[in-house]
Amino acid sequence: MNSLDVIKNNVKYLYENNPKIHVNVSLTHPKICLKNEPVTIKGVYSHIFQIEENTNGSPKNHTLQYSEILTGHIEILELADNAY
């Protein structure tokens, strides 16, 4: 099992057991910048996962790639103890 598979399994576990998480996201395209924001995992798929955040008062959905966790552009704080 490679690092990406471990990440997918961990995100799937969070989705099934406690989908309300905190994330740091720093992406330029699309521009998403979240610092320790509470989000809800809305869906888990083979190459992507979806989150919903409410930083501006209204819900906004984002589709993210697991590989962005591996490259460090996305950090799930509940998984911060695990090194990839």
Side-chain angles (χ1 to χ4, degrees), residues 13-53:
Y13 177 81
L14 286 173
Y15 172 66
E16 293 171 347
N17 294 293
N18 186 13
K20 295 187 184 290
I21 61 171
H22 289 81
V23 297
N24 292 329
V25 178
S26 179
L27 297 174
T28 55
H29 187 52
K31 182 155 176 72
I32 304 171
C33 186
L34 302 171
K35 301 283 185 204
N36 196 16
E37 293 293 334
V39 299
T40 303
I41 302 173
K42 290 299 202 178
V44 173
Y45 307 98
S46 61
H47 298 292
I48 60 170
F49 62 103
Q50 295 177 323
I51 62 169
E52 179 182 86
E53 52 102 355

Side-chain angles (χ1 to χ4, degrees), residues 1 4-5 12 18-19 24-25 29 35-37 40-41 48-49 53-57 61 63 67 70 82 84:
M1 185 176 276
L4 203 53
D5 291 331
K12 184 177 180 183
N18 186 13
N24 292 329
V25 178
H29 187 52
K35 301 283 185 204
N36 196 16
E37 293 293 334
T40 303
I41 302 173
I48 60 170
F49 62 103
E53 52 102 355
N54 291 310
T55 56
N56 294 330
N61 292 322
T63 301
S67 60
L70 191 60
N82 297 334
Y84 299 109

